[in-house]
C-alpha cells in the first residue's frame, strides 16, 4: 500500500506506524465538567467503520511527520493524505 506523503511523494506504508482514528487529535478538555465521561469515551469507545475513514499515521522511518490519511477500509484504497499539523490548524480556525 502506498501513502501519498504531501512533502515526500508516494511512500510505502511499511515506513509508517498506524495509530488509529484521526478524531484522536481532538482530545476532551480535562477541565470540563464531564471530563471523566468524555475521556472514558475518548479512550474506550471507538468506531470501527467500513468505508471511507480518516486515520492517523506516523512516518516513523522517514521524516517523522504525522499524517491524516483518508482510506477506504473495505478496499484499502488511499484517497489522500494531509499533514496532521495542517488538519489541526484548520480545525482551530
Amino acid at each position: 500500500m502506498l501513502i501519498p506523503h504531501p512533502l515526500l511523494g508516494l511512500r510505502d506504508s511499511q515506513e509508517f506506524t498506524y495509530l488509529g482514528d484521526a478524531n484522536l487529535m481532538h482530545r476532551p478538555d480535562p477541565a470540563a465538567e464531564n471530563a471523566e465521561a468524555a475521556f472514558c469515551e475518548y479512550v474506550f469507545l471507538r468506531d470501527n467503520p467500513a468505508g471511507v475513514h480518516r486515520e492517523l499515521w506516523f512516518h516513523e522511518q522517514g521524516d517523522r511527520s504525522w499524517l491524516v490519511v483518508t482510506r477506504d477500509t473495505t478496499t484499502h484504497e488511499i484517497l489522500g493524505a494531509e499533514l496532521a499539523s495542517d488538519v489541526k490548524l484548520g480545525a482551530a480556525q
Side-chain angles (χ1 to χ4, degrees):
M1 189 165 62
L2 296 175
I3 295 177
H5 193 293
L7 303 175
L8 304 175
L10 288 177
R11 309 303 300 176
D12 192 290
S13 64
Q14 293 181 345
E15 295 180 11
F16 294 82
T17 299
Y18 169 79
L19 176 64
D21 189 343
N23 285 328
L24 293 175
M25 294 190 321
H26 307 293
R27 289 177 49 125
D29 179 2
E33 187 174 311
N34 67 338
E36 185 176 349
F39 270 97
C40 181
E41 185 174 323
Y42 174 80
V43 172
F44 297 111
L45 302 178
R46 303 223 179 122
D47 292 333
N48 188 15
V52 177
H53 184 59
R54 290 169 47 108
E55 306 166 328
L56 282 171
W57 290 72
F58 179 60
H59 197 192
E60 185 172 14
Q61 297 177 17
D63 68 347
R64 306 190 63 77
S65 60
W66 284 94
L67 301 182
V68 174
V69 175
T70 304
R71 179 173 72 94
D72 187 326
T73 60
T74 59
T75 64
H76 298 295
E77 178 186 8
I78 303 284
L79 304 171
E82 308 167 78
L83 292 172
S85 59
D86 293 345
V87 172
K88 186 73 170 172
L89 288 173
Q93 295 175 350

